[in-house]
Amino acid sequence: MRHFLSTETWQQHELQAILDRAARYKRDGHGADLAGKSIALLFFNPSMRTRTSFELGAFQLGAHAIVLQPGRDAWPVEFAPGVVMDGEAEEHVAEVARVLSRYCDLIAVRAFPKFRDWSADREDPVLSAFAEYAQVPVINMESIVHPCQELALMLTLQERLGQVAGKKFLLTWTWHPKPLNTAVANSALLIASKFGMQLTLLCPEQAYLPDHRYLDAARAAADAHNTRFEVTHDIDEAYHAADVVYAKSWGALPYFGRWEDEQPVRDQYRHFIVDEEKMAKTNNAIFSHCLPLRRNVKATDAVMDADYCVAIDEAENRLHVQKALMTTLAGEKE
Ligand code: CP
């Protein structure tokens, strides 16, 4: 049995097999590869795309999806080991994961960081606990990484660019009024480097560097592929000759848990918005974003409505890659 918590533990050829299966689902239609199976979808945070694409993907393959929102329509859950549970939580993940494993063939979980203490959040406590206690494969629907989004992004890039190795992938930080999760930024670094792309990370200053775990992984993958991974704070240099521009906003880790101190720092950098002027510096790049996206904050209307914007394709591809992922993990035949 294998979990899908992060692409860090999956090799490129294994991920490519999922992408190839996803492309077949997209081309050939549904099938009933998961007939009689079931998946529990646990959302500790809101979602539009993830919930819709997983629920619909399961339905299209003949499976049944059960959506649970602990603390809202299911009991609040405790994750810490060995605690006296005299607070809000009514049951422990040890029971939740084991019970769901008796009912379902797969468990998928969305659990964002608590945004108070990065040293605790970076251990991914909720996903780790489900993986520890579950007796069926666990899928990460976004925590400190977003591996399903990575698959959708890579399928979209392969559709548009063909062979992605050697192409310049720019991950650019953008301003946003709130400090957002670093998950998609971490994931963009992981997937672009794993597939041998020339990777550039653009952020306003050192404080906006993602956790060293993901920088180290990107450097190691770049070394393995004999490609380049560079970090820059120079907008012109970053956009120059890019083949892909991928935008995301995230909070600065040194300010984790004291976001009121980060706000004036972040507010200096509204000009990191993706606009036509910046896109004109690229090698006719495609643009994408995981969505949701605030228009004219992260990217302009003109960029979002341009032919080179593939964000809607990427969102559609969540459906296809997750169907391929579910069938892969559930061990069903193609
Ligand atoms: N990209 C993504 O995960 O979208 P949702 O937050 O709407 O699920």
Side-chain angles (χ1 to χ4, degrees):
M1 184 185 80
R2 197 157 178 205
H3 301 304
F4 190 71
L5 303 180
S6 168
T7 56
E8 291 163 280
T9 55
W10 288 67
Q11 295 185 37
Q12 183 185 353
H13 72 87
E14 296 173 317
L15 297 174
Q16 188 60 56
I18 297 172
L19 296 174
D20 291 343
R21 188 183 289 212
R24 287 198 292 278
Y25 277 130
K26 189 170 183 175
R27 188 186 61 226
D28 300 338
H30 303 166
D33 293 347
L34 290 178
K37 303 282 186 185
S38 57
I39 181 169
L41 305 174
L42 276 76
F43 286 95
F44 291 87
N45 306 95
S47 166
M48 194 275 265
R49 279 145 290 272
T50 303
R51 176 175 174 172
T52 308
S53 53
F54 262 107
E55 204 169 341
L56 196 56
F59 169 78
Q60 290 178 353
L61 293 173
H64 185 73
I66 299 110
V67 176
L68 298 167
Q69 300 174 88
R72 293 182 63 186
D73 57 14
W75 301 115
V77 182
E78 176 63 58
F79 293 93
V83 294
V84 176
M85 289 177 51
D86 56 2
E88 286 301 306
E90 290 294 343
E91 57 181 333
H92 197 274
V93 64
E95 282 71 55
V96 176
R98 287 171 177 142
V99 170
L100 288 175
S101 298
R102 297 283 177 97
Y103 297 146
C104 300
D105 301 284
L106 298 164
I107 298 172
V109 180
R110 166 167 282 197
F112 291 174
K114 301 280 185 217
F115 290 102
R116 288 192 292 270
D117 176 4
W118 176 244
S119 68
D121 283 337
R122 77 187 294 279
E123 301 307 321
D124 216 356
V126 173
L127 267 294
S128 300
F130 271 100
E132 179 182 349
Y133 293 110
Q135 284 136 0
V136 297
V138 174
I139 296 172
N140 184 347
M141 296 194 294
E142 190 175 352
S143 59
I144 56 171
V145 287
H146 198 349
C148 295
Q149 194 75 48
E150 291 178 50
L151 292 175
L153 167 61
M154 187 47 63
L155 181 60
T156 309
L157 297 185
Q158 291 181 347
E159 288 172 343
R160 292 291 179 136
L161 303 177
Q163 177 59 257
V164 301
K167 299 273 171 49
K168 179 173 174 179
F169 182 100
L170 167 60
L171 169 63
T172 177
W173 180 93
T174 59
W175 183 82
H176 187 283
K178 297 177 187 168
L180 300 182
N181 195 354
T182 54
V184 172
N186 298 336
S187 277
L189 295 176
L190 290 175
I191 199 71
S193 60
K194 191 178 282 269
F195 278 72
M197 302 188 80
Q198 305 281 353
L199 177 57
T200 297
L201 167 62
L202 171 64
C203 60
E205 56 177 85
Q206 291 285 107
Y208 287 89
L209 288 178
D211 189 283
H212 67 84
R213 177 190 295 160
Y214 305 103
L215 300 175
D216 293 347
R219 274 192 206 100
D223 288 347
H225 285 282
N226 199 22
T227 54
R228 207 179 58 241
F229 169 43
E230 64 173 7
V231 176
T232 182
H233 310 307
D234 183 315
I235 292 174
D236 289 346
E237 178 190 323
Y239 276 80
H240 176 70
D243 298 297
V244 179
V245 176
Y246 201 61
K248 185 69 184 77
S249 186
W250 61 89
L253 295 182
Y255 294 90
F256 217 82
R258 47 187 191 91
W259 299 111
E260 64 285 357
D261 294 338
E262 192 227 17
Q263 185 85 42
V265 180
R266 188 160 16 104
D267 285 351
Q268 300 173 77
Y269 301 121
R270 292 181 79 125
H271 60 287
F272 275 69
I273 186 172
V274 182
D275 56 24
E276 287 177 296
E277 190 183 336
K278 295 187 184 72
M279 291 300 294
K281 301 176 195 298
T282 68
N283 181 30
N284 290 317
I286 56 173
F287 169 79
S288 199
H289 185 281
C290 62
L291 305 180
L293 174 142
R294 294 187 184 215
R295 278 174 173 245
N296 303 309
V297 169
K298 292 182 176 176
T300 60
D301 282 333
V303 169
M304 291 306 294
D305 294 330
D307 289 343
Y308 56 68
C309 177
V310 297
I312 304 299
D313 290 344
E314 183 177 328
E316 180 196 332
N317 283 338
R318 291 288 304 277
L319 175 67
H320 308 300
V321 298
Q322 289 158 193
K323 286 162 72 173
L325 179 63
M326 287 189 283
T327 51
T328 300
L329 292 178
E332 291 296 314
K333 287 191 297 189
E334 292 180 23

